[in-house]
Amino acid sequence: MSNNFENSRRDLRERAFQALFNMELGGDFLEASQFAYDYDKVLEEEQTLDIPAFLLNLVNGVKDHKEELDQLITVNLKKGWSLERLTLTDKTMLRLGLYEIKYFEETPDRVALNEIIEIAKKYSDDTSAKFINGLLSQFVLDEKTKKD
């Protein structure tokens, strides 16, 4: 990652994605978050950095709302698709994007959507990025309708 973006919200979202992915493979919440935050930084031996609240809030929020997020994603999948059919990468990005759209009032829905699409482009392929865009765009429209 470029130092220009270190600790930017995009950088922290990307690190939240990495921590959530690690947790899906059996990683612990705090250890996964710390590793994702520290992994490309030059640290002294035994040194750890304070994890930014934004990153912790995203990871913990997705963890705490995982069942609800999975249910919302499942309901909005096309006929014949299931959550189990999705790649772990896509599932993790959908959960993260949907969590931020639904629960982070300070982040405009469109910003959350665009940010997760950029992460999808980096960690997945164009097809996945388009799929994530299509599915999460429905939630952005739904949230906008609720606010109007």
Side-chain angles (χ1 to χ4, degrees):
M1 280 182 223
S2 160
N3 283 340
N4 294 346
F5 294 109
E6 189 171 311
N7 286 344
S8 69
R9 287 213 164 196
R10 177 171 293 170
D11 176 60
L12 296 175
R13 279 182 190 92
E14 189 171 329
R15 292 173 191 276
F17 162 74
Q18 294 165 348
L20 289 163
F21 191 89
N22 181 315
M23 289 167 59
E24 285 294 317
L25 302 174
D28 170 73
F29 160 69
L30 206 48
E31 288 175 12
S33 299
Q34 189 74 57
F35 180 79
Y37 187 63
D38 290 350
Y39 87 96
D40 61 348
K41 294 177 173 65
V42 178
L43 303 174
E44 300 296 322
E45 194 172 324
E46 301 299 317
Q47 179 187 8
T48 58
L49 300 172
D50 291 335
I51 306 167
F54 181 70
L55 188 150
L56 289 174
N57 288 338
L58 289 174
V59 175
N60 199 42
V62 171
K63 178 180 74 70
D64 288 348
H65 291 87
K66 186 176 172 182
E67 283 183 36
E68 176 193 354
L69 296 169
D70 285 355
Q71 185 176 2
L72 287 168
I73 292 165
T74 299
V75 167
N76 285 278
L77 289 173
K78 289 184 179 178
K79 188 174 173 129
W81 279 80
S82 66
L83 200 60
E84 294 74 30
R85 189 173 169 192
L86 301 178
T87 66
L88 183 55
T89 302
D90 291 354
K91 220 182 319 193
T92 303
M93 283 186 265
L94 284 168
R95 288 173 181 149
L96 179 58
L98 181 55
Y99 176 76
E100 194 167 5
I101 290 166
K102 275 192 68 65
Y103 294 102
F104 261 73
E105 293 295 320
E106 69 270 15
T107 304
D109 295 344
R110 283 272 165 216
V111 171
L113 175 64
N114 290 336
E115 291 291 320
I116 207 67
I117 290 166
E118 291 304 313
I119 293 170
K121 288 176 183 175
K122 182 172 181 176
Y123 288 91
S124 209
D125 58 20
D126 282 344
T127 304
S128 287
K130 288 175 185 171
F131 168 73
I132 290 165
N133 182 11
L135 196 104
L136 291 180
S137 289
Q138 276 307 123
F139 291 104
V140 170
L141 289 173
D142 291 348
E143 289 295 309
K144 185 177 181 332
T145 304
K146 286 178 191 172
K147 292 174 185 172
D148 289 345

